[in-house]
Amino acid sequence: MTEKTNFLVIMSDQHSPEAIGALRHPVVKTPALDALAASGVSFTSAYCAYPMCTPARASFMTGLLTPQHGVWDLGSPLSSGLPTWAHALRAAGYRTTISGRMHFIGPDQMHGFERRVCPGVTAERKPFTEGEWGQPLSRERKMLQSIADAGPTDERTRGEIYDDGVLEASLQELRRFAGSPSDHPWTLMVGFILPHFPFAISRRHHDLYEGLDMPMPRTPPDGGSFEERVPEQMAGNRRRLGLTSDGAADEDVRMARRCYYAMVTRVDEMVGRLTSELQRLGLARNTWVVYLSDHGESLGEHGFWSKGTFWEESVRVPLIVARPGERNAGAHCAAPVSQVDWLPTVLDVIGQEWCEPMPGRSLVPLLDDPGQTWADRAVLSDYACQGTRALMRMVRKGKYKACFAPGFPPTLFDLEADPHEWNDLYRSRDHRAVLAELERDASADGWDPVRLKPEIETLKRRLNRIAAAERKG
């Protein structure tokens, strides 16, 4: 009887896609992730399905895009009637455990997992929404205060305390798996809260970056300002989050980035603890280890901070997949892929069919041949949350990326010639055919912003009503 593959899946929160040493970041310290990358395949064009926590994780779990699963807001519950890859594994005889953060809103904190060994963040379990679409956008500039407050702490932060509990529960679960019969395969999903802001970290990790020259956000190559390069469809994000140039001092930016990289190192240490325990227990020989994040972190690039935009730093995520005996160990795969590809990958590995068509593709062919480009693949990402009153969709196909929002001009970038997205080509006559093709790709699955907008407005009103009742509670 062939021994079945086990899965250890680790998801951090808000990890910038560039902030890994193995990807040649100039200062960040990530020895465990570097070792994982050296034993597996790094996907350098991996995208989240929605640059906000809860909807992105809903897509990762269900293999569906946002219009299909309906989780449009940070406080929007995922329907318990939607099967996930955890259900697929349980049906195939796997023991399935979740430990830590997965941003499950509402009473269902399992969504297919049979066992939970560390709770999600308690404050995030009740439905809510941030702002009604029927009301004008606020002018909060909310990230400017977070940047100004950045710095080390004398005690562990709340994020560190929570993640320490997640780590310990996860290590205990690995030990439980090691003591069970080898013919009973398992899956452990581990969710950490770091490196999510606030930009604060205990001194031990902060001091690891003492004396290092913190790289500052890139500036426009022609000496122009961030403001003049904010596309009209992203102006609301600027209004809510604020740009670096709205008042953040250079020393505060350096400190925020330093604390962020220190938080990444803190996550890296926890990844190292998990992979070391996997080796010590003799479980590594037949276990896939997957590391990814729910979305990125802008860290001041293009002047933006946090997530919620379609800039690469926000919508792209780190993704490392290490299979036992990986023959392409250390390879980088540049083919555009998505979080929705994980469910079809699991089904491919365990040899199971699914109950409905899926927008994703199995990653196994790319793991077997990382040099493939998947030039015909259109990767999609949606956004209709904080900082916008328009339904937005991103399309990445080949070297091009376009973003569409009703009532606003689109954007178009050639990521091969312009990886930092300085030159918007949507007015270029030479690129009209490309833009038209990507617009067709955006609607190929039935995406209809006119139809969807009232549905999203209704969802947000419902969430507001529930949240108001809970507050009076």
Side-chain angles (χ1 to χ4, degrees):
M1 179 176 177
T2 303
E3 191 174 21
K4 290 186 177 180
T5 300
N6 305 312
F7 298 95
L8 170 61
V9 183
I10 307 166
M11 178 176 275
S12 61
D13 196 315
Q14 207 153 312
H15 189 163
S16 169
E18 298 179 346
I20 294 178
L23 300 181
R24 300 181 180 177
H25 191 277
V27 298
V28 73
K29 300 174 184 291
T30 55
L33 288 172
D34 297 348
L36 188 64
S39 65
V41 175
S42 299
F43 291 86
T44 57
S45 296
Y47 290 87
C48 68
Y50 195 111
M52 187 62 69
C53 307
T54 313
R57 292 164 184 261
S59 288
F60 173 67
M61 290 302 305
T62 63
L64 301 174
L65 294 167
T66 314
Q68 297 169 305
H69 60 60
V71 180
W72 286 101
D73 207 296
L74 192 61
S76 178
L78 175 63
S79 170
S80 298
L82 290 174
T84 69
W85 55 265
H87 287 109
L89 287 168
R90 282 181 71 181
Y94 277 73
R95 290 167 293 169
T96 56
T97 300
I98 184 170
S99 176
R101 189 181 216 192
M102 205 55 198
H103 253 286
F104 291 152
I105 306 297
D108 188 348
Q109 292 293 302
M110 305 300 281
H111 287 287
F113 294 99
E114 63 181 329
R115 178 175 162 90
R116 178 181 271 280
V117 294
C118 186
V121 179
T122 304
E124 296 170 348
R125 295 183 196 170
K126 295 180 179 180
F128 67 95
T129 185
E130 296 199 0
E132 292 187 44
W133 271 17
Q135 301 298 320
L137 277 165
S138 62
R139 192 181 181 88
E140 295 178 74
R141 303 287 197 266
K142 64 176 291 185
M143 289 305 300
L144 296 181
Q145 190 60 52
S146 186
I147 299 165
D149 291 342
T153 62
D154 292 326
E155 304 292 336
R156 290 182 302 162
T157 65
R158 288 183 180 180
E160 291 177 89
I161 293 170
Y162 177 79
D163 280 354
D164 283 347
V166 174
L167 176 63
E168 185 54 39
S170 302
L171 293 171
Q172 290 290 352
E173 193 68 357
L174 288 178
R175 293 163 194 150
R176 188 177 78 91
F177 290 146
S180 301
S182 60
D183 62 349
H184 200 168
W186 54 266
T187 293
L188 175 60
M189 174 75 227
V190 180
F192 294 124
I193 200 169
L194 295 180
H196 195 289
F197 68 84
F199 301 111
I201 189 72
S202 55
R203 289 189 180 277
R204 180 171 75 86
H205 290 87
H206 169 271
D207 291 350
L208 293 174
Y209 289 84
E210 185 66 35
L212 296 181
D213 185 16
M214 286 297 110
M216 293 291 279
R218 293 173 283 256
T219 55
D222 58 4
S225 67
F226 290 134
E227 289 86 349
E228 64 192 27
R229 290 176 180 269
V230 176
E232 287 185 47
Q233 58 177 264
M234 294 187 189
N237 303 71
R238 185 267 173 99
R239 182 182 180 89
R240 187 171 193 276
L241 297 176
L243 297 184
T244 299
S245 49
D246 289 326
D250 283 354
E251 59 268 28
D252 293 336
V253 171
R254 288 190 180 90
M255 179 56 74
R257 287 167 74 93
R258 174 177 176 172
C259 289
Y260 180 81
Y261 297 140
M263 287 193 286
V264 171
T265 298
R266 184 72 151 75
V267 171
D268 183 81
E269 287 186 2
M270 294 186 290
V271 171
R273 290 278 306 280
L274 289 168
T275 54
S276 294
E277 189 69 357
L278 205 65
Q279 290 283 353
R280 188 187 73 80
L281 295 170
L283 298 173
R285 62 182 176 79
N286 198 38
T287 300
W288 282 39
V289 180
V290 179
Y291 176 82
L292 77 162
S293 196
D294 52 356
H295 50 73
E297 159 62 58
S298 297
L299 275 185
E301 301 297 334
H302 293 274
F304 282 89
W305 293 79
S306 189
K307 57 271 190 179
T309 74
F310 287 138
W311 297 123
E312 287 286 278
E313 297 79 19
S314 169
V315 74
R316 199 156 50 83
V317 296
L319 173 60
I320 303 170
V321 180
R323 302 180 294 182
E326 177 61 70
R327 65 177 182 271
N328 294 310
H332 288 183
C333 179
V337 299
S338 169
Q339 290 169 335
V340 298
D341 296 334
W342 180 240
L343 173 58
T345 301
V346 168
L347 295 172
D348 193 356
V349 174
I350 65 176
Q352 297 289 321
E353 299 294 327
W354 200 232
C355 52
E356 60 184 311
M358 296 174 288
R361 299 183 182 183
S362 171
L363 297 174
V364 171
L366 294 178
L367 292 167
D368 291 340
D369 180 9
Q372 294 185 69
T373 61
W374 278 6
D376 65 328
R377 170 80 185 283
V379 169
L380 305 176
S381 184
D382 293 289
Y383 190 72
C385 205
Q386 304 168 1
T388 182
R389 292 295 181 263
L391 183 63
M392 305 168 70
R393 173 161 274 198
M394 181 211 82
V395 183
R396 168 71 197 275
K397 187 176 185 180
K399 66 178 183 176
Y400 291 106
K401 184 173 85 171
C403 305
F404 302 97
F408 295 95
T411 65
L412 177 65
F413 296 97
D414 179 343
L415 296 179
E416 190 175 286
D418 179 28
H420 304 308
E421 301 171 283
W422 297 121
N423 185 25
D424 190 349
L425 301 171
Y426 91 91
R427 289 192 179 94
S428 167
R429 292 179 179 271
D430 295 338
H431 293 85
R432 285 181 177 175
V434 171
L435 189 62
E437 178 184 345
L438 295 180
E439 190 167 17
R440 288 192 296 271
D441 289 330
S443 302
D445 65 345
W447 183 70
D448 181 355
V450 175
R451 176 183 60 82
L452 285 169
K453 186 174 182 181
E455 292 182 12
I456 299 168
E457 290 173 334
T458 298
L459 168 67
K460 290 175 182 286
R461 286 194 297 270
R462 289 171 176 169
L463 293 174
N464 265 327
R465 181 62 60 90
I466 293 171
E470 292 284 356
R471 284 194 297 270
K472 290 184 179 295

